[in-house]
Amino acid sequence: PKPLGILMLNDNEIMIEEGVNGKNLERYISDNPSQDLVKSIIHKIISLYEHLNNSLEPSTFADLNKELDQNLDRFIELYSPSENELLTIRKCISIFLQNFKNEKISKRYTNGDFISRNLIVDDENVTLVDFEYVNKTHLYFFDWFRFFKYQYAISNDYLYNIVLNTEINDDLFLSSLKEFTKYRSNKKFDIASRLIFEIREYILRSDSSSVALGNEEKKGMSNLIA
């Protein structure tokens, strides 16, 4: 939404934005989960995502590697992995990086919270809101992982079966969706990508988690690495 100004409230800066008509995507689909509507909305969300990719900036393999190193350093500080866990993580990072050795490297801003509750839908448009976690990253394509991980309007298995036989052929979209269904891949790169994504999620959640929630997060991460 268009920013209109900054309001100071109790020494906090509050951004005032133009209002947006519509329902969040989760509510919109829950109210009418027909296959035709879901297909139409998914096309619009993919179009929005492609629009965001118009702002891609060229980068380097070294900078991608540096971002992963920074994430790993922060994760080690928060989680304190065992030697075996760290070995697994480093192996996954190596597999992930190998995939980009001879690829064009790009980065862009992401709002950092590309989920159904932050997509406001009306009959014509989809608007992305909530830029609290905005950041510039080489891992912008993990937005799809985040979208499907926190998509509760319909089951991802059902969603996958809907889009499988459509003209949607975005490989990144489909592979990210599969990761949160019973159809998930056992390819090394896909597994490595999921772990790196979850490490980033762990860092984000740890910054705002209570001690009890933090312990649950650590248990979940331990199971994932195992």
Side-chain angles (χ1 to χ4, degrees), residues 89-136:
I89 294 167
R90 291 193 186 281
K91 183 176 180 181
C92 282
I93 291 175
S94 176
I95 291 168
F96 181 84
L97 285 171
Q98 192 64 36
N99 191 74
F100 293 94
K101 273 283 188 181
N102 300 308
E103 297 292 324
K104 183 172 72 173
I105 307 297
S106 301
K107 61 182 177 181
R108 69 162 168 83
Y109 280 104
T110 169
N111 83 316
D113 207 7
F114 193 79
I115 59 174
S116 56
R117 294 191 299 276
N118 290 335
L119 291 162
I120 308 301
V121 182
D122 62 21
D123 292 334
E124 299 294 330
N125 302 302
V126 179
T127 304
L128 179 63
V129 300
D130 192 352
F131 286 71
E132 180 181 358
Y133 301 114
V134 66
N135 65 99
K136 185 179 284 189

Side-chain angles (χ1 to χ4, degrees), residues 28-178:
Y28 193 85
I29 292 179
S30 296
D31 287 349
N32 184 7
S34 72
Q35 290 195 16
D36 287 342
L37 177 72
V38 172
K39 289 177 188 176
S40 172
I41 291 299
I42 290 300
H43 275 291
K44 290 180 180 178
I45 294 169
I46 291 174
S47 178
L48 170 62
Y49 181 84
E50 290 173 347
H51 176 72
L52 294 172
N53 283 346
N54 289 337
S55 63
L56 285 173
E57 302 174 11
S59 189
T60 65
F61 182 82
D63 283 343
L64 169 62
N65 200 345
K66 181 179 179 181
E67 181 176 351
L68 291 172
D69 283 344
Q70 289 171 341
N71 283 325
L72 180 56
D73 288 346
R74 178 64 175 147
F75 178 72
I76 291 172
E77 178 185 345
L78 292 167
Y79 177 82
S80 300
S82 68
E83 288 187 16
N84 283 338
E85 286 178 324
L86 193 53
L87 188 65
T88 297
I89 294 167
R90 291 193 186 281
K91 183 176 180 181
C92 282
I93 291 175
S94 176
I95 291 168
F96 181 84
L97 285 171
Q98 192 64 36
N99 191 74
F100 293 94
K101 273 283 188 181
N102 300 308
E103 297 292 324
K104 183 172 72 173
I105 307 297
S106 301
K107 61 182 177 181
R108 69 162 168 83
Y109 280 104
T110 169
N111 83 316
D113 207 7
F114 193 79
I115 59 174
S116 56
R117 294 191 299 276
N118 290 335
L119 291 162
I120 308 301
V121 182
D122 62 21
D123 292 334
E124 299 294 330
N125 302 302
V126 179
T127 304
L128 179 63
V129 300
D130 192 352
F131 286 71
E132 180 181 358
Y133 301 114
V134 66
N135 65 99
K136 185 179 284 189
T137 176
H138 298 85
L139 306 174
Y140 54 88
F141 42 86
F142 282 170
D143 278 352
W144 284 129
F145 273 168
R146 196 156 221 277
F147 178 81
F148 295 119
K149 179 171 184 174
Y150 301 107
Q151 190 282 120
Y152 305 117
I154 55 177
S155 82
N156 283 323
D157 286 346
Y158 176 66
L159 179 56
Y160 183 73
N161 286 321
I162 289 176
V163 303
L164 190 59
N165 297 314
T166 68
E167 63 275 21
I168 294 173
N169 54 12
D170 185 307
D171 290 339
L172 188 58
F173 173 91
L174 293 172
S175 63
S176 299
L177 171 55
K178 282 177 67 176

